[in-house]
Structures are given as C-alpha cells and as structure tokens.
Short mmCIF file of all heavy atoms in Angstrom, two decimals:
data_model
loop_
_atom_site.label_atom_id
_atom_site.label_comp_id
_atom_site.label_asym_id
_atom_site.label_seq_id
_atom_site.Cartn_x
_atom_site.Cartn_y
_atom_site.Cartn_z
N MET A 774 11.71 -9.89 49.63
CA MET A 774 11.91 -9.80 48.19
C MET A 774 10.80 -8.94 47.60
O MET A 774 9.65 -9.09 47.93
CB MET A 774 11.84 -11.23 47.62
CG MET A 774 12.10 -11.24 46.13
SD MET A 774 12.50 -12.89 45.54
CE MET A 774 10.94 -13.40 44.92
N THR A 775 11.15 -8.04 46.70
CA THR A 775 10.17 -7.15 46.09
C THR A 775 9.58 -7.81 44.86
O THR A 775 10.20 -8.61 44.18
CB THR A 775 10.82 -5.82 45.69
OG1 THR A 775 11.82 -6.08 44.70
CG2 THR A 775 11.39 -5.10 46.89
N GLN A 776 8.32 -7.44 44.60
CA GLN A 776 7.64 -8.02 43.45
C GLN A 776 8.12 -7.45 42.14
O GLN A 776 8.01 -8.06 41.13
CB GLN A 776 6.13 -7.79 43.58
CG GLN A 776 5.51 -8.58 44.73
CD GLN A 776 4.01 -8.31 44.86
OE1 GLN A 776 3.51 -7.35 44.29
NE2 GLN A 776 3.33 -9.14 45.63
N GLY A 777 8.71 -6.22 42.15
CA GLY A 777 9.14 -5.60 40.91
C GLY A 777 10.47 -6.13 40.39
O GLY A 777 10.86 -5.84 39.29
N LYS A 778 11.20 -6.91 41.15
CA LYS A 778 12.52 -7.36 40.75
C LYS A 778 12.53 -8.15 39.43
O LYS A 778 13.33 -7.86 38.58
CB LYS A 778 13.15 -8.16 41.86
CG LYS A 778 14.61 -8.52 41.56
CD LYS A 778 15.35 -8.86 42.78
CE LYS A 778 16.78 -9.31 42.55
NZ LYS A 778 17.54 -8.62 41.55
N PRO A 779 11.70 -9.15 39.23
CA PRO A 779 11.73 -9.87 37.95
C PRO A 779 11.47 -8.95 36.76
O PRO A 779 12.12 -9.11 35.72
CB PRO A 779 10.60 -10.89 38.07
CG PRO A 779 10.46 -11.13 39.55
CD PRO A 779 10.76 -9.79 40.16
N GLU A 780 10.62 -8.00 36.91
CA GLU A 780 10.36 -7.08 35.79
C GLU A 780 11.60 -6.22 35.53
O GLU A 780 11.97 -5.99 34.42
CB GLU A 780 9.17 -6.15 36.12
CG GLU A 780 8.81 -5.20 34.99
CD GLU A 780 7.61 -4.37 35.31
OE1 GLU A 780 6.60 -4.93 35.75
OE2 GLU A 780 7.71 -3.15 35.13
N ASN A 781 12.25 -5.76 36.59
CA ASN A 781 13.49 -5.00 36.43
C ASN A 781 14.59 -5.82 35.76
O ASN A 781 15.33 -5.34 34.94
CB ASN A 781 14.02 -4.49 37.81
CG ASN A 781 13.12 -3.39 38.37
OD1 ASN A 781 12.37 -2.74 37.64
ND2 ASN A 781 13.20 -3.22 39.68
N ASP A 782 14.68 -7.11 36.13
CA ASP A 782 15.65 -8.00 35.46
C ASP A 782 15.32 -8.15 34.02
O ASP A 782 16.23 -8.20 33.16
CB ASP A 782 15.63 -9.38 36.15
CG ASP A 782 16.25 -9.36 37.55
OD1 ASP A 782 16.90 -8.34 37.87
OD2 ASP A 782 16.06 -10.36 38.27
N THR A 783 14.04 -8.23 33.66
CA THR A 783 13.63 -8.39 32.26
C THR A 783 14.01 -7.13 31.48
O THR A 783 14.53 -7.21 30.36
CB THR A 783 12.13 -8.61 32.17
OG1 THR A 783 11.82 -9.82 32.88
CG2 THR A 783 11.68 -8.80 30.73
N VAL A 784 13.75 -5.95 32.05
CA VAL A 784 14.10 -4.69 31.39
C VAL A 784 15.59 -4.60 31.19
O VAL A 784 16.07 -4.25 30.11
CB VAL A 784 13.55 -3.48 32.17
CG1 VAL A 784 14.09 -2.19 31.63
CG2 VAL A 784 12.04 -3.46 32.16
N PHE A 785 16.36 -4.97 32.23
CA PHE A 785 17.81 -4.91 32.16
C PHE A 785 18.32 -5.88 31.10
O PHE A 785 19.16 -5.55 30.28
CB PHE A 785 18.45 -5.26 33.53
CG PHE A 785 19.95 -5.21 33.50
CD1 PHE A 785 20.60 -4.00 33.44
CD2 PHE A 785 20.68 -6.42 33.53
CE1 PHE A 785 22.00 -3.97 33.43
CE2 PHE A 785 22.07 -6.40 33.54
CZ PHE A 785 22.71 -5.16 33.47
N SER A 786 17.75 -7.11 31.04
CA SER A 786 18.12 -8.09 30.06
C SER A 786 17.83 -7.60 28.66
O SER A 786 18.62 -7.79 27.73
CB SER A 786 17.40 -9.38 30.36
OG SER A 786 17.75 -10.34 29.39
N ALA A 787 16.67 -7.00 28.47
CA ALA A 787 16.29 -6.46 27.14
C ALA A 787 17.29 -5.38 26.73
O ALA A 787 17.66 -5.32 25.53
CB ALA A 787 14.86 -5.93 27.17
N ARG A 788 17.66 -4.53 27.65
CA ARG A 788 18.67 -3.48 27.32
C ARG A 788 19.99 -4.11 26.93
O ARG A 788 20.65 -3.64 26.01
CB ARG A 788 18.83 -2.54 28.49
CG ARG A 788 17.70 -1.59 28.62
CD ARG A 788 18.03 -0.46 29.59
NE ARG A 788 16.86 0.38 29.77
CZ ARG A 788 16.34 0.68 30.95
NH1 ARG A 788 16.90 0.25 32.04
NH2 ARG A 788 15.29 1.45 31.03
N GLU A 789 20.41 -5.14 27.68
CA GLU A 789 21.65 -5.80 27.35
C GLU A 789 21.60 -6.42 25.93
O GLU A 789 22.56 -6.31 25.17
CB GLU A 789 21.92 -6.92 28.36
CG GLU A 789 22.51 -6.49 29.65
CD GLU A 789 22.89 -7.67 30.54
OE1 GLU A 789 22.15 -8.68 30.54
OE2 GLU A 789 23.89 -7.57 31.22
N VAL A 790 20.51 -7.02 25.61
CA VAL A 790 20.34 -7.62 24.28
C VAL A 790 20.42 -6.55 23.21
O VAL A 790 21.15 -6.69 22.23
CB VAL A 790 19.00 -8.40 24.18
CG1 VAL A 790 18.70 -8.77 22.72
CG2 VAL A 790 19.03 -9.63 25.05
N MET A 791 19.73 -5.42 23.41
CA MET A 791 19.74 -4.37 22.40
C MET A 791 21.11 -3.72 22.30
O MET A 791 21.56 -3.37 21.22
CB MET A 791 18.65 -3.34 22.67
CG MET A 791 17.24 -3.85 22.35
SD MET A 791 17.09 -4.67 20.74
CE MET A 791 17.57 -3.33 19.62
N ASP A 792 21.80 -3.58 23.42
CA ASP A 792 23.17 -3.06 23.40
C ASP A 792 24.09 -4.02 22.58
O ASP A 792 24.89 -3.50 21.77
CB ASP A 792 23.75 -2.90 24.80
CG ASP A 792 23.13 -1.75 25.56
OD1 ASP A 792 22.46 -0.89 24.91
OD2 ASP A 792 23.32 -1.67 26.79
N THR A 793 23.94 -5.30 22.77
CA THR A 793 24.72 -6.27 22.04
C THR A 793 24.39 -6.26 20.54
O THR A 793 25.28 -6.25 19.70
CB THR A 793 24.50 -7.70 22.61
OG1 THR A 793 24.89 -7.69 23.99
CG2 THR A 793 25.35 -8.73 21.86
N VAL A 794 23.09 -6.20 20.25
CA VAL A 794 22.66 -6.15 18.84
C VAL A 794 23.20 -4.88 18.19
O VAL A 794 23.69 -4.90 17.05
CB VAL A 794 21.12 -6.21 18.72
CG1 VAL A 794 20.64 -5.89 17.35
CG2 VAL A 794 20.63 -7.60 19.16
N SER A 795 23.14 -3.77 18.88
CA SER A 795 23.66 -2.49 18.36
C SER A 795 25.13 -2.56 18.09
O SER A 795 25.63 -2.11 17.06
CB SER A 795 23.32 -1.36 19.33
OG SER A 795 23.76 -0.15 18.83
N GLU A 796 25.88 -3.15 19.05
CA GLU A 796 27.32 -3.28 18.87
C GLU A 796 27.65 -4.15 17.68
O GLU A 796 28.55 -3.84 16.87
CB GLU A 796 27.93 -3.84 20.14
CG GLU A 796 29.45 -3.82 20.13
CD GLU A 796 30.05 -4.24 21.44
OE1 GLU A 796 29.39 -4.13 22.50
OE2 GLU A 796 31.22 -4.72 21.42
N MET A 797 26.94 -5.27 17.54
CA MET A 797 27.15 -6.16 16.40
C MET A 797 26.87 -5.44 15.09
O MET A 797 27.59 -5.58 14.10
CB MET A 797 26.30 -7.42 16.53
CG MET A 797 26.76 -8.35 17.61
SD MET A 797 25.62 -9.76 17.93
CE MET A 797 25.35 -10.37 16.30
N SER A 798 25.78 -4.67 15.09
CA SER A 798 25.38 -3.93 13.88
C SER A 798 26.49 -2.95 13.48
O SER A 798 26.79 -2.81 12.28
CB SER A 798 24.07 -3.21 14.16
OG SER A 798 23.73 -2.39 13.07
N GLN A 799 27.04 -2.27 14.45
CA GLN A 799 28.13 -1.34 14.16
C GLN A 799 29.39 -2.06 13.62
O GLN A 799 30.00 -1.60 12.68
CB GLN A 799 28.48 -0.50 15.40
CG GLN A 799 27.39 0.48 15.77
CD GLN A 799 27.68 1.21 17.06
OE1 GLN A 799 28.67 0.93 17.75
NE2 GLN A 799 26.84 2.17 17.41
N LEU A 800 29.74 -3.18 14.25
CA LEU A 800 30.90 -3.95 13.81
C LEU A 800 30.70 -4.45 12.39
O LEU A 800 31.68 -4.51 11.61
CB LEU A 800 31.15 -5.12 14.74
CG LEU A 800 31.67 -4.74 16.14
CD1 LEU A 800 31.66 -5.98 17.04
CD2 LEU A 800 33.06 -4.14 16.05
N LEU A 801 29.47 -4.80 12.04
CA LEU A 801 29.18 -5.33 10.71
C LEU A 801 28.84 -4.22 9.71
O LEU A 801 28.61 -4.52 8.54
CB LEU A 801 27.99 -6.32 10.77
CG LEU A 801 28.30 -7.59 11.58
CD1 LEU A 801 27.02 -8.39 11.77
CD2 LEU A 801 29.37 -8.44 10.87
N GLU A 802 28.85 -2.97 10.19
CA GLU A 802 28.60 -1.81 9.36
C GLU A 802 27.29 -1.94 8.59
O GLU A 802 27.22 -1.75 7.37
CB GLU A 802 29.77 -1.55 8.43
CG GLU A 802 31.05 -1.26 9.15
CD GLU A 802 32.24 -1.03 8.25
OE1 GLU A 802 32.08 -1.08 7.05
OE2 GLU A 802 33.33 -0.81 8.79
N THR A 803 26.21 -2.26 9.30
CA THR A 803 24.89 -2.46 8.66
C THR A 803 24.26 -1.16 8.25
O THR A 803 23.41 -1.13 7.37
CB THR A 803 23.93 -3.21 9.58
OG1 THR A 803 23.65 -2.41 10.73
CG2 THR A 803 24.47 -4.56 10.00
N GLY A 804 24.59 -0.08 8.97
CA GLY A 804 23.96 1.20 8.69
C GLY A 804 22.58 1.34 9.29
O GLY A 804 21.87 2.30 8.98
N LEU A 805 22.16 0.37 10.15
CA LEU A 805 20.84 0.44 10.76
C LEU A 805 20.89 1.25 12.03
O LEU A 805 21.79 1.06 12.86
CB LEU A 805 20.35 -0.97 11.03
CG LEU A 805 20.15 -1.88 9.83
CD1 LEU A 805 19.75 -3.28 10.30
CD2 LEU A 805 19.13 -1.32 8.88
N ASP A 806 19.94 2.14 12.22
CA ASP A 806 19.88 2.91 13.43
C ASP A 806 19.24 2.09 14.56
O ASP A 806 18.73 0.99 14.33
CB ASP A 806 19.15 4.23 13.23
CG ASP A 806 17.71 4.07 12.79
OD1 ASP A 806 17.09 3.01 13.11
OD2 ASP A 806 17.18 4.97 12.14
N SER A 807 19.28 2.63 15.79
CA SER A 807 18.76 1.86 16.92
C SER A 807 17.26 1.57 16.81
O SER A 807 16.84 0.48 17.23
CB SER A 807 19.09 2.59 18.23
OG SER A 807 18.48 3.85 18.23
N GLU A 808 16.50 2.46 16.26
CA GLU A 808 15.05 2.21 16.10
C GLU A 808 14.82 1.06 15.14
O GLU A 808 14.03 0.18 15.40
CB GLU A 808 14.36 3.49 15.63
CG GLU A 808 12.85 3.29 15.48
CD GLU A 808 12.13 4.54 14.97
OE1 GLU A 808 12.79 5.52 14.57
OE2 GLU A 808 10.91 4.51 14.98
N THR A 809 15.52 1.08 14.02
CA THR A 809 15.38 0.03 13.02
C THR A 809 15.84 -1.32 13.58
O THR A 809 15.21 -2.34 13.36
CB THR A 809 16.15 0.37 11.74
OG1 THR A 809 15.70 1.63 11.26
CG2 THR A 809 15.95 -0.69 10.65
N LEU A 810 16.92 -1.30 14.35
CA LEU A 810 17.41 -2.53 14.99
C LEU A 810 16.37 -3.09 15.96
O LEU A 810 16.14 -4.27 15.99
CB LEU A 810 18.71 -2.26 15.73
CG LEU A 810 19.93 -2.13 14.84
CD1 LEU A 810 21.12 -1.65 15.70
CD2 LEU A 810 20.26 -3.42 14.16
N ALA A 811 15.75 -2.20 16.74
CA ALA A 811 14.73 -2.65 17.66
C ALA A 811 13.54 -3.26 16.93
O ALA A 811 13.02 -4.31 17.35
CB ALA A 811 14.25 -1.48 18.53
N ILE A 812 13.13 -2.63 15.83
CA ILE A 812 12.00 -3.17 15.05
C ILE A 812 12.35 -4.51 14.44
O ILE A 812 11.57 -5.48 14.52
CB ILE A 812 11.61 -2.17 13.96
CG1 ILE A 812 10.98 -0.91 14.62
CG2 ILE A 812 10.65 -2.79 12.95
CD1 ILE A 812 10.82 0.27 13.65
N THR A 813 13.55 -4.61 13.81
CA THR A 813 13.90 -5.87 13.19
C THR A 813 14.10 -6.99 14.23
O THR A 813 13.73 -8.13 13.98
CB THR A 813 15.17 -5.72 12.35
OG1 THR A 813 16.23 -5.19 13.15
CG2 THR A 813 14.95 -4.80 11.16
N THR A 814 14.65 -6.64 15.38
CA THR A 814 14.78 -7.65 16.45
C THR A 814 13.42 -8.16 16.90
O THR A 814 13.21 -9.36 17.06
CB THR A 814 15.55 -7.05 17.63
OG1 THR A 814 16.85 -6.62 17.18
CG2 THR A 814 15.74 -8.06 18.74
N LYS A 815 12.50 -7.23 17.08
CA LYS A 815 11.13 -7.64 17.50
C LYS A 815 10.47 -8.52 16.44
O LYS A 815 9.81 -9.51 16.77
CB LYS A 815 10.26 -6.38 17.80
CG LYS A 815 8.94 -6.69 18.35
CD LYS A 815 9.04 -7.36 19.70
CE LYS A 815 7.67 -7.57 20.31
NZ LYS A 815 7.73 -8.32 21.55
N LEU A 816 10.65 -8.14 15.18
CA LEU A 816 10.07 -8.96 14.09
C LEU A 816 10.64 -10.36 14.10
O LEU A 816 9.91 -11.35 13.94
CB LEU A 816 10.32 -8.29 12.74
CG LEU A 816 9.48 -7.06 12.45
CD1 LEU A 816 10.00 -6.34 11.21
CD2 LEU A 816 8.01 -7.40 12.30
N CYS A 817 11.94 -10.50 14.36
CA CYS A 817 12.56 -11.82 14.44
C CYS A 817 12.02 -12.59 15.63
O CYS A 817 11.75 -13.79 15.53
CB CYS A 817 14.07 -11.70 14.50
SG CYS A 817 14.84 -11.15 12.95
N GLU A 818 11.84 -11.89 16.76
CA GLU A 818 11.27 -12.56 17.94
C GLU A 818 9.84 -13.06 17.69
O GLU A 818 9.42 -14.05 18.25
CB GLU A 818 11.24 -11.59 19.13
CG GLU A 818 12.61 -11.29 19.71
CD GLU A 818 12.60 -10.21 20.78
OE1 GLU A 818 11.54 -9.57 20.97
OE2 GLU A 818 13.63 -9.98 21.40
N LEU A 819 9.15 -12.35 16.80
CA LEU A 819 7.78 -12.74 16.44
C LEU A 819 7.70 -13.84 15.37
O LEU A 819 6.61 -14.25 14.98
CB LEU A 819 6.98 -11.52 16.00
CG LEU A 819 6.71 -10.49 17.10
CD1 LEU A 819 6.12 -9.20 16.49
CD2 LEU A 819 5.81 -11.06 18.15
N GLY A 820 8.90 -14.23 14.91
CA GLY A 820 8.91 -15.37 13.96
C GLY A 820 9.21 -15.03 12.50
O GLY A 820 9.19 -15.92 11.68
N VAL A 821 9.48 -13.74 12.22
CA VAL A 821 9.82 -13.38 10.83
C VAL A 821 11.17 -14.01 10.50
O VAL A 821 12.09 -13.98 11.31
CB VAL A 821 9.85 -11.86 10.67
CG1 VAL A 821 10.38 -11.45 9.31
CG2 VAL A 821 8.44 -11.30 10.88
N ASN A 822 11.28 -14.55 9.33
CA ASN A 822 12.52 -15.17 8.86
C ASN A 822 13.59 -14.06 8.73
O ASN A 822 13.42 -13.10 7.94
CB ASN A 822 12.30 -15.83 7.51
CG ASN A 822 13.53 -16.51 6.95
OD1 ASN A 822 14.63 -15.94 6.97
ND2 ASN A 822 13.34 -17.72 6.48
N PRO A 823 14.72 -14.16 9.43
CA PRO A 823 15.76 -13.12 9.38
C PRO A 823 16.35 -12.91 8.00
O PRO A 823 16.64 -11.78 7.61
CB PRO A 823 16.83 -13.62 10.36
CG PRO A 823 16.18 -14.61 11.22
CD PRO A 823 15.04 -15.21 10.41
N GLU A 824 16.49 -13.98 7.23
CA GLU A 824 17.04 -13.83 5.88
C GLU A 824 16.06 -13.11 4.98
O GLU A 824 16.49 -12.26 4.17
CB GLU A 824 17.39 -15.20 5.29
CG GLU A 824 18.58 -15.87 5.97
CD GLU A 824 18.89 -17.22 5.38
OE1 GLU A 824 18.55 -17.47 4.20
OE2 GLU A 824 19.51 -18.02 6.09
N ALA A 825 14.77 -13.39 5.10
CA ALA A 825 13.78 -12.68 4.33
C ALA A 825 13.74 -11.20 4.73
O ALA A 825 13.62 -10.31 3.87
CB ALA A 825 12.40 -13.32 4.52
N LEU A 826 13.84 -10.93 6.02
CA LEU A 826 13.86 -9.57 6.50
C LEU A 826 15.06 -8.80 5.96
O LEU A 826 14.97 -7.65 5.51
CB LEU A 826 13.86 -9.56 8.04
CG LEU A 826 13.74 -8.21 8.73
CD1 LEU A 826 12.54 -7.44 8.27
CD2 LEU A 826 13.70 -8.44 10.25
N ALA A 827 16.23 -9.44 5.96
CA ALA A 827 17.44 -8.83 5.40
C ALA A 827 17.25 -8.55 3.93
O ALA A 827 17.65 -7.46 3.42
CB ALA A 827 18.64 -9.73 5.62
N SER A 828 16.62 -9.45 3.19
CA SER A 828 16.37 -9.22 1.75
C SER A 828 15.45 -8.02 1.53
O SER A 828 15.68 -7.22 0.63
CB SER A 828 15.76 -10.46 1.12
OG SER A 828 16.68 -11.51 1.13
N VAL A 829 14.44 -7.92 2.37
CA VAL A 829 13.52 -6.75 2.24
C VAL A 829 14.26 -5.46 2.51
O VAL A 829 14.11 -4.48 1.77
CB VAL A 829 12.33 -6.94 3.21
CG1 VAL A 829 11.51 -5.64 3.30
CG2 VAL A 829 11.44 -8.07 2.76
N ILE A 830 15.10 -5.44 3.54
CA ILE A 830 15.84 -4.22 3.86
C ILE A 830 16.80 -3.84 2.71
O ILE A 830 16.87 -2.69 2.31
CB ILE A 830 16.62 -4.39 5.17
CG1 ILE A 830 15.65 -4.46 6.34
CG2 ILE A 830 17.65 -3.28 5.38
CD1 ILE A 830 16.28 -4.90 7.66
N GLN A 831 17.47 -4.85 2.15
CA GLN A 831 18.36 -4.59 1.01
C GLN A 831 17.59 -4.05 -0.18
O GLN A 831 18.03 -3.11 -0.85
CB GLN A 831 19.12 -5.85 0.62
CG GLN A 831 20.15 -6.26 1.64
CD GLN A 831 20.80 -7.59 1.35
OE1 GLN A 831 20.22 -8.42 0.65
NE2 GLN A 831 21.95 -7.82 1.88
N GLU A 832 16.44 -4.61 -0.46
CA GLU A 832 15.62 -4.18 -1.58
C GLU A 832 15.14 -2.74 -1.35
O GLU A 832 15.13 -1.92 -2.27
CB GLU A 832 14.43 -5.10 -1.82
CG GLU A 832 13.54 -4.72 -3.00
CD GLU A 832 14.27 -4.73 -4.31
OE1 GLU A 832 15.27 -5.45 -4.49
OE2 GLU A 832 13.82 -3.98 -5.24
N LEU A 833 14.70 -2.43 -0.15
CA LEU A 833 14.26 -1.07 0.18
C LEU A 833 15.40 -0.08 0.01
O LEU A 833 15.17 1.03 -0.52
CB LEU A 833 13.71 -1.01 1.61
CG LEU A 833 12.35 -1.66 1.83
CD1 LEU A 833 12.04 -1.72 3.30
CD2 LEU A 833 11.26 -0.91 1.07
N ARG A 834 16.58 -0.47 0.38
CA ARG A 834 17.75 0.42 0.17
C ARG A 834 18.02 0.65 -1.27
O ARG A 834 18.30 1.78 -1.71
CB ARG A 834 18.96 -0.17 0.85
CG ARG A 834 18.95 -0.02 2.36
CD ARG A 834 20.21 -0.55 2.98
NE ARG A 834 20.27 -0.22 4.38
CZ ARG A 834 21.16 -0.70 5.21
NH1 ARG A 834 22.05 -1.56 4.81
NH2 ARG A 834 21.14 -0.32 6.48
N ARG A 835 17.94 -0.42 -2.11
CA ARG A 835 18.12 -0.25 -3.57
C ARG A 835 17.07 0.67 -4.16
O ARG A 835 17.36 1.55 -4.95
CB ARG A 835 18.09 -1.63 -4.26
CG ARG A 835 19.39 -2.41 -4.16
CD ARG A 835 19.40 -3.61 -5.07
NE ARG A 835 18.43 -4.65 -4.66
CZ ARG A 835 18.70 -5.61 -3.83
NH1 ARG A 835 19.89 -5.70 -3.26
NH2 ARG A 835 17.79 -6.51 -3.53
N GLU A 836 15.82 0.44 -3.75
CA GLU A 836 14.73 1.30 -4.29
C GLU A 836 14.90 2.73 -3.88
O GLU A 836 14.67 3.64 -4.69
CB GLU A 836 13.39 0.74 -3.77
CG GLU A 836 12.97 -0.60 -4.36
CD GLU A 836 12.66 -0.48 -5.84
OE1 GLU A 836 12.05 0.52 -6.25
OE2 GLU A 836 12.96 -1.45 -6.56
N MET A 837 15.32 2.96 -2.65
CA MET A 837 15.51 4.33 -2.17
C MET A 837 16.66 5.00 -2.88
O MET A 837 16.59 6.17 -3.25
CB MET A 837 15.74 4.31 -0.65
CG MET A 837 15.55 5.63 -0.01
SD MET A 837 13.82 6.10 -0.18
CE MET A 837 13.96 7.80 0.30
N ALA A 838 17.75 4.25 -3.12
CA ALA A 838 18.87 4.81 -3.87
C ALA A 838 18.48 5.18 -5.30
O ALA A 838 18.84 6.23 -5.81
CB ALA A 838 20.05 3.82 -3.87
N ALA A 839 17.72 4.31 -5.95
CA ALA A 839 17.24 4.58 -7.30
C ALA A 839 16.33 5.77 -7.30
O ALA A 839 16.39 6.62 -8.19
CB ALA A 839 16.54 3.34 -7.86
N TYR A 840 15.46 5.86 -6.31
CA TYR A 840 14.53 6.99 -6.21
C TYR A 840 15.28 8.29 -6.01
O TYR A 840 15.04 9.28 -6.71
CB TYR A 840 13.59 6.75 -5.02
CG TYR A 840 12.60 7.83 -4.75
CD1 TYR A 840 11.46 7.97 -5.56
CD2 TYR A 840 12.80 8.73 -3.71
CE1 TYR A 840 10.55 8.98 -5.32
CE2 TYR A 840 11.89 9.74 -3.44
CZ TYR A 840 10.78 9.86 -4.25
OH TYR A 840 9.86 10.86 -4.01
N ASN A 841 16.26 8.27 -5.13
CA ASN A 841 17.09 9.49 -4.87
C ASN A 841 17.93 9.84 -6.08
O ASN A 841 18.13 11.04 -6.35
CB ASN A 841 17.95 9.30 -3.63
CG ASN A 841 17.12 9.30 -2.38
OD1 ASN A 841 16.05 9.88 -2.29
ND2 ASN A 841 17.67 8.65 -1.32
N ALA A 842 18.44 8.87 -6.80
CA ALA A 842 19.26 9.12 -7.98
C ALA A 842 18.44 9.74 -9.08
O ALA A 842 18.94 10.53 -9.90
CB ALA A 842 19.92 7.84 -8.46
N GLY A 843 17.15 9.41 -9.13
CA GLY A 843 16.24 9.96 -10.14
C GLY A 843 15.71 11.31 -9.78
O GLY A 843 14.83 11.82 -10.48
N GLY A 844 16.15 11.89 -8.70
CA GLY A 844 15.68 13.21 -8.32
C GLY A 844 14.59 13.18 -7.28
O GLY A 844 14.11 14.21 -6.86
N GLY A 845 14.23 12.01 -6.83
CA GLY A 845 13.20 11.88 -5.80
C GLY A 845 11.91 12.50 -6.19
O GLY A 845 11.47 12.38 -7.32
N ASP A 846 11.32 13.25 -5.29
CA ASP A 846 10.01 13.86 -5.59
C ASP A 846 10.15 15.34 -5.79
O ASP A 846 9.23 16.11 -5.50
CB ASP A 846 9.03 13.55 -4.46
CG ASP A 846 9.52 14.05 -3.08
OD1 ASP A 846 10.65 14.54 -2.98
OD2 ASP A 846 8.71 14.00 -2.14
N GLN A 847 11.28 15.75 -6.35
CA GLN A 847 11.50 17.21 -6.61
C GLN A 847 10.55 17.66 -7.69
O GLN A 847 10.33 16.95 -8.67
CB GLN A 847 12.92 17.49 -7.00
CG GLN A 847 13.94 17.18 -5.91
CD GLN A 847 15.36 17.38 -6.41
OE1 GLN A 847 15.61 17.58 -7.57
NE2 GLN A 847 16.32 17.27 -5.48
N ALA A 848 10.00 18.85 -7.54
CA ALA A 848 9.12 19.41 -8.57
C ALA A 848 9.94 19.83 -9.78
O ALA A 848 11.05 20.28 -9.67
CB ALA A 848 8.37 20.63 -8.01
N SER A 849 9.37 19.63 -10.98
CA SER A 849 10.07 19.96 -12.23
C SER A 849 9.86 21.41 -12.57
O SER A 849 8.83 21.95 -12.42
CB SER A 849 9.56 19.11 -13.38
OG SER A 849 9.58 17.78 -13.08
#
C-alpha cells in the first residue's frame, strides 16, 4: 500500500464536492463562477453562516449594479 493514496483520495473527494457544488450552482442559476464557489464553500467549511454569506453576496451585487448604473468610476 502506498502512503500517497489517502491524500489522493482526499484530492479526488474535494474535486467531486466542487464538481457537485458547481453543478448545483448552475442548476440554481446563481451566477457564481468556480473561484467564487470555492471561496464560499471554504468559508462555510470554516463556520461562516451560509445564510449570512448569501446575504452579503446579494448586497454586493446590488451595490455593484447601483455603482455601474451610476456610471461607475468613469471620468467626467
């Protein structure tokens, strides 16, 4: 038995989890890219409240939309 096998299983399992999370995200039409999904998943694993995290993401989207609607940082 090789010593690297458990680590390989862990990496494979992590990839499976992220593939599943990505598929769910697409089905739910969240609009989150793979990097953002990885970050939010890690934050949840670290104990961040998922509902609070979702609220923050929604608020950031609203703020960004308002910023972009106002012309963003274009010079006058």
Side-chain angles (χ1 to χ4, degrees):
M774 183 163 98
T775 62
Q776 291 179 346
K778 186 160 178 39
E780 183 177 311
N781 289 339
D782 289 347
T783 301
V784 170
F785 181 73
S786 179
R788 283 193 185 127
E789 280 186 323
V790 168
M791 287 312 301
D792 287 347
T793 301
V794 169
S795 180
E796 188 174 336
M797 288 172 51
S798 175
Q799 289 175 355
L800 290 171
L801 295 171
E802 299 178 0
T803 65
L805 298 175
D806 61 27
S807 59
E808 181 181 9
T809 304
L810 286 171
I812 292 168
T813 55
T814 300
K815 186 64 175 175
L816 287 169
C817 290
E818 288 173 353
L819 293 171
V821 172
N822 181 314
E824 290 180 26
L826 185 55
S828 294
V829 169
I830 291 169
Q831 290 173 338
E832 181 62 26
L833 288 171
R834 285 183 171 170
R835 280 192 292 273
E836 291 291 324
M837 198 64 193
Y840 179 77
N841 289 334
D846 59 353
Q847 296 175 352
S849 308

